[in-house]
Amino acid sequence: MAGKPLRVLACGDVEGKLDMLFNRVQAVQKKSGEFDLLLCVGNFFGSTPEAEWEEYRTCAKKAPIPTYVLGANNPETVHYFPDVNGCELAENITYLGRKGIFSGTSGLQIAYLSGTESLSEPAPAYSFSSKDVSELKMSLFSTPKFKGVDILLTSPWPRGVGNFGNKPGEMDTKRCGSVLISNLATSLKPRYHFAALEKTHYERLPYRNHVVLQENAQHVSRFIALANVGNTSKKKYLYAFSILPMRSMDPAELVKQPQDVTENPYRKSGKEAHQPKMLSGAEEEPACQFFFDLSKQHGKKRPSDGKGGQHSQLKQPKKIHQPTGPCWFCLSSPEVEKHLVVSIGTHCYLALAKGGLSNDHVLILPIGHYQSVVELSSEAMEEIDKYKSALKKFFRSKGKRYVLFERNYRSQHLQLQVIPVPLNCCATEDIKESFILQAQEQEIELLEIPEHSDIKLHSRGHLIFTLNWILERNFFTELRKNFPCSLEGKCWRVKPF
């Protein structure tokens, strides 16, 4: 039976500004009613004079709400936390401990990990190591029918949290944050994950904890980073929410998926899952930009800095596949018809279609030799999205929309076909109906890909036919023997534009 939801406040770096924080909490409670607890991540103590803390430590002042804090993130504040297993620091202010699970009488389950990531063993008192993360995970995995935790508290951000989702301003989540925290979040599947330290507010779109069409539905996770108390930029540092403990929820209600849900940012997909361990930010190889001289018969790559020698032989992060024969679409190939090339980016290029289905039929193609989108790097996919966005604006200015499809059957090189159609000639649902009708006649099942989903997680490594149109509705099917290469042409004849 469902109980009463708990009303919770979460806060970013307090940095010793206790009066400012608790005055704000009292104002929120006066306006919105009482809250059950306050959770603080990041630096609870800072460089402010200790006189303010002494008033709370000696009970001259009292926190207005039960407050739970994480431990030190630097050697200067370690002395505030006398017991690594957690203890009461002042009346209504409790240090949770270095790592563990906090469960109240309501059944709310809060996992916590104090400190910043350490690369050495044993980790200093203000850091955690891979051993700490493993021990925390194992303590939960031993729980019967473990589904995840309600809340996860860490000070650092998880590395890569921005993948597949909205971007956190100028923060580069591919380089910032902790890989160990990403690993922990993947395993613990928190419904809410709070972090701080970066002095900014970022509320990521909710993400899935299961693979669509391959696993049973699970609850979604929400990551929220909070700014520092009293920051001059007025960035949000206090977050209020209500939560019903997972164990008290109806299973069907628990796994409901919001409309803006995305793929899991930490889960590797497709062939990436079988690649060697990713390099850390300090070990990553520098990116190289290449120019392609279209005036030469053999378009060889040359580095953008123009230098030769060893620097021109830099190893690339992803190996480019070699064609088994002449390829008409590799930009460096003498076979490519260069007069059709419209634009060249870093990873992809745009070209007019030879013998297109319409006069302004264009192709988006990778510069290197790849057969399908499931083989592309995230950087190449980002550049494809930029091309799609630019084409959308261009065709809209001409009173058109586009349909985009990929069919990598009997073709060595990925070709994203972009076909514009007049806006006033046919409705979006007519386009959908045309493809589905022809697919049914050919006994092909077109599966819809959920919004914010990654095709790599659905293809399972197989060759695919993908379909996308201007309202960002996506379908795909795995290719089988004797796939009808003329399917897309038939669709246009069903609804003449």
Side-chain angles (χ1 to χ4, degrees):
M1 185 176 71
K4 182 181 177 182
L6 277 80
R7 305 186 73 216
V8 182
L9 290 171
C11 180
D13 303 274
V14 180
E15 297 179 335
K17 299 175 183 177
L18 303 180
D19 287 343
M20 186 177 292
L21 168 63
F22 292 137
N23 287 340
R24 175 62 178 156
V25 169
Q26 287 178 318
V28 170
Q29 292 198 121
K30 184 176 180 180
K31 181 179 179 181
S32 305
E34 296 295 314
F35 282 79
D36 296 292
L37 66 159
L38 169 64
L39 306 172
C40 297
V41 294
N43 294 312
F44 188 72
F45 296 102
S47 57
T48 55
E50 291 197 13
E52 189 171 322
W53 167 240
E54 277 298 304
E55 292 183 296
Y56 289 90
R57 192 183 68 81
T58 59
C59 298
K61 289 183 178 179
K62 174 185 173 182
I65 182 175
T67 302
Y68 299 88
V69 308
L70 294 181
N73 297 297
N74 52 66
E76 291 76 24
T77 56
V78 169
H79 68 278
Y80 288 105
F81 306 96
D83 188 346
V84 295
N85 295 315
C87 58
E88 185 177 66
L89 301 178
E91 187 174 0
N92 253 7
I93 301 177
T94 302
Y95 165 47
L96 288 167
R98 186 162 182 167
K99 65 179 183 294
I101 309 298
F102 175 78
S103 297
T105 55
S106 66
L108 188 72
Q109 199 169 45
I110 302 173
Y112 57 88
L113 182 66
S114 293
T116 56
E117 181 175 337
S118 172
L119 300 178
S120 61
E121 289 279 5
Y126 53 87
S127 297
F128 59 83
S129 65
S130 57
K131 181 180 178 182
D132 293 315
V133 172
S134 296
E135 289 176 352
L136 179 55
K137 289 195 296 184
M138 292 307 298
S139 67
L140 281 161
F141 291 165
S142 60
T143 306
K145 298 181 180 179
F146 174 73
K147 294 180 179 179
V149 297
D150 291 301
I151 299 172
L152 172 62
L153 304 178
T154 65
S155 288
W157 290 31
R159 177 79 61 87
V161 69
N163 295 338
F164 308 130
N166 51 317
K167 303 304 179 184
E170 297 180 358
M171 276 281 297
D172 183 1
T173 60
K174 293 182 180 179
R175 293 180 177 271
C176 298
S178 165
V179 174
L180 289 178
I181 296 293
S182 302
N183 180 277
L184 182 65
T186 302
S187 300
L188 299 194
K189 304 174 184 178
R191 294 166 64 199
Y192 286 88
H193 179 183
F194 293 97
L197 296 184
E198 301 296 341
K199 300 186 183 300
T200 191
H201 168 244
Y202 169 54
E203 190 167 348
R204 193 201 183 280
L205 292 172
Y207 63 85
R208 300 183 186 90
N209 285 299
H210 65 278
V211 179
V212 178
L213 304 178
Q214 297 183 35
E215 297 175 342
N216 293 330
Q218 299 181 42
H219 62 271
V220 302
S221 292
R222 291 173 167 84
F223 173 77
I224 298 151
L226 295 165
N228 50 311
V229 171
N231 66 88
T232 56
S233 301
K234 306 293 184 182
K235 294 178 180 178
K236 188 172 184 176
Y237 64 83
L238 197 63
Y239 183 90
F241 65 108
S242 295
I243 183 171
L244 189 65
M246 187 183 301
R247 75 178 191 182
S248 301
M249 291 188 67
D250 177 74
E253 189 69 24
L254 177 65
V255 301
K256 277 188 176 179
Q257 307 291 298
Q259 288 187 344
D260 57 352
V261 68
T262 77
E263 294 296 348
N264 190 312
Y266 319 121
R267 179 180 285 126
K268 294 180 181 180
S269 57
K271 295 189 176 181
E272 291 180 3
H274 304 289
Q275 295 295 322
K277 183 180 178 181
M278 290 194 306
L279 299 175
S280 66
E283 297 172 317
E284 282 184 321
E285 298 171 339
C288 293
Q289 182 177 350
F290 296 96
F291 296 109
F292 290 82
D293 189 347
L294 299 184
S295 64
K296 294 185 178 181
Q297 198 170 18
H298 298 281
K300 294 184 179 179
K301 299 178 181 178
R302 59 183 177 89
S304 58
D305 62 5
K307 297 178 182 179
Q310 291 181 340
H311 296 286
S312 63
Q313 302 295 324
L314 288 173
K315 181 182 176 182
Q316 295 301 302
K318 276 188 172 289
K319 181 181 178 181
I320 297 179
H321 302 276
Q322 296 300 318
T324 56
C327 180
W328 294 348
F329 302 105
C330 285
L331 197 56
S332 61
S333 169
E335 306 293 332
V336 70
E337 301 201 39
K338 300 181 175 98
H339 66 285
L340 297 175
V341 175
V342 177
S343 168
I344 302 175
T346 305
H347 306 281
C348 306
Y349 72 99
L350 187 71
L352 293 171
K354 184 177 180 181
L357 296 174
S358 65
N359 291 333
D360 39 11
H361 178 173
V362 294
L363 308 177
I364 304 174
L365 308 109
I367 290 172
H369 192 78
Y370 297 96
Q371 190 174 10
S372 169
V373 291
V374 300
E375 298 179 348
L376 293 180
S377 65
S378 58
E379 291 80 12
M381 290 300 297
E382 287 178 8
E383 192 163 277
I384 284 176
D385 287 339
K386 289 179 181 179
Y387 269 123
K388 287 168 62 178
S389 178
L391 287 169
K392 178 180 178 180
K393 291 179 181 178
F394 171 74
F395 288 132
R396 178 70 65 172
S397 70
K398 302 296 182 182
K400 299 179 180 181
R401 70 182 78 184
Y402 70 68
V403 176
L404 181 148
F405 63 84
E406 170 199 2
R407 188 256 305 145
N408 53 50
Y409 180 63
R410 294 183 181 174
S411 60
Q412 295 186 50
H413 197 110
L414 166 63
Q415 304 158 49
L416 292 175
Q417 312 277 344
V418 184
I419 297 101
V421 295
L423 279 169
N424 57 0
C425 281
C426 118
T428 300
E429 289 303 313
D430 290 334
I431 298 174
K432 173 183 175 181
E433 182 184 342
S434 298
F435 273 94
I436 291 179
L437 179 62
Q438 287 298 321
Q440 289 174 344
E441 290 184 7
Q442 301 290 335
E443 297 182 351
I444 294 170
E445 181 184 15
L446 283 179
L447 303 174
E448 184 166 6
I449 304 170
E451 190 177 5
H452 301 295
S453 187
D454 181 11
I455 183 62
K456 295 181 183 181
L457 297 179
H458 305 294
S459 67
R460 292 174 288 184
H462 298 293
L463 297 180
I464 53 173
F465 171 89
T466 62
L467 168 66
N468 166 271
W469 54 83
I470 202 67
L471 294 184
E472 300 304 322
R473 297 287 298 279
N474 295 274
F475 286 81
F476 84 104
T477 187
E478 292 178 0
L479 296 187
R480 54 173 170 75
K481 188 177 180 181
N482 299 323
F483 181 85
C485 295
S486 59
L487 173 61
E488 54 267 30
K490 289 182 179 179
C491 294
W492 301 119
R493 289 196 289 272
V494 171
K495 295 285 183 181
F497 303 128

